[in-house]
Amino acid sequence: MQHSDSIAQVATALAAAQGEFPLIPRDRTVTVRPRARKGQDGQQYQPPAYQFSYAPLPTVLEKVRPALAKQGLALTQSVVTINDKGHEAVRTMLIHSSGEWLANETPLFTAAGDNASQAYSSGMTYARRYGVTALLCIAADDDDDAEGAGEGEQRQPVTAGRKPQGNGNGGGYGYGDGSGDGYGINRI
């Protein structure tokens, strides 16, 4: 996590706001149908589908903004380049009226596909939601007990000024360049 030199006032205000956050409804449900995979015996099998519920970004923001504003807190988000390879992230900042701030960076990943704009937008929404919920310590998803780890479409980082391309590494972990420099949701 990144922060201003002093965080005493922003931390106090965040603690007060967290105490006022209402229950955030997980009013969206997704069904995940994992891809077929090979078992230890080399035979293909289809893992069962599973569902999870989550709170979409507009719902999260609607529920937390009144408590944040009451404590002199505001959220901002922007796209930033996070390393010398040009990988992008969404920087979420929680700014207090005193000028103190807390921030995190959520890497921006997209799925390979024909519609690059739609994939970018989807990755942006995902990164924005996770940036806000992580920074505010909100549980906005069902805990799927790692059901979805490594499942679904192959994911790749968004690199500033370059169209995403397949990375061939199984997707979603690291930046697909073999360097193993995959950032977590929040860099600390």
Side-chain angles (χ1 to χ4, degrees), residues 154 156 165-171 176:
Q154 186 172 357
Q156 54 204 359
Q165 298 177 5
N167 60 22
N169 74 345

Side-chain angles (χ1 to χ4, degrees), residues 21-27 54-56 59-61 63-64 133 138-140:
F21 290 160
L23 181 64
I24 298 175
R26 296 176 182 143
D27 54 4
Y54 70 99
T59 300
V60 172
L61 293 175
K63 298 298 183 183
V64 301
T133 59
I138 296 170

Side-chain angles (χ1 to χ4, degrees), residues 45-169:
Y45 75 97
Q46 180 65 49
Y50 63 93
Q51 290 186 329
F52 68 93
S53 296
Y54 70 99
L57 180 62
T59 300
V60 172
L61 293 175
E62 173 189 336
K63 298 298 183 183
V64 301
R65 280 184 174 149
L68 293 175
K70 182 177 175 183
Q71 299 301 325
L73 296 166
L75 287 167
T76 65
Q77 293 185 300
S78 60
V79 177
V80 297
T81 302
I82 58 175
N83 61 26
D84 61 355
K85 295 176 184 165
H87 297 133
E88 292 181 352
V90 171
R91 176 177 291 151
T92 302
M93 293 186 71
L94 181 67
I95 305 168
H96 186 254
S97 57
S98 67
E100 293 179 353
W101 55 272
L102 303 172
N104 67 18
E105 291 173 352
T106 306
L108 184 51
F109 291 92
T110 63
D114 292 334
N115 190 335
S117 295
Q118 187 175 19
Y120 186 84
S121 179
S122 177
M124 175 74 72
T125 300
Y126 185 85
R128 288 186 63 209
R129 186 169 67 88
Y130 275 93
V132 168
T133 59
L135 193 59
L136 300 179
C137 296
I138 296 170
D141 301 348
D142 288 341
D143 184 355
D144 73 358
D145 198 27
E147 287 259 7
E151 292 295 345
E153 295 183 9
Q154 186 172 357
R155 300 279 175 178
Q156 54 204 359
V158 172
T159 304
R162 291 191 290 230
K163 182 179 176 183
Q165 298 177 5
N167 60 22
N169 74 345

Side-chain angles (χ1 to χ4, degrees), residues 2-21:
Q2 301 147 355
H3 54 80
S4 55
D5 290 338
S6 171
I7 62 168
Q9 293 181 63
V10 70
T12 300
L14 177 56
Q18 286 173 330
E20 296 177 15
F21 290 160

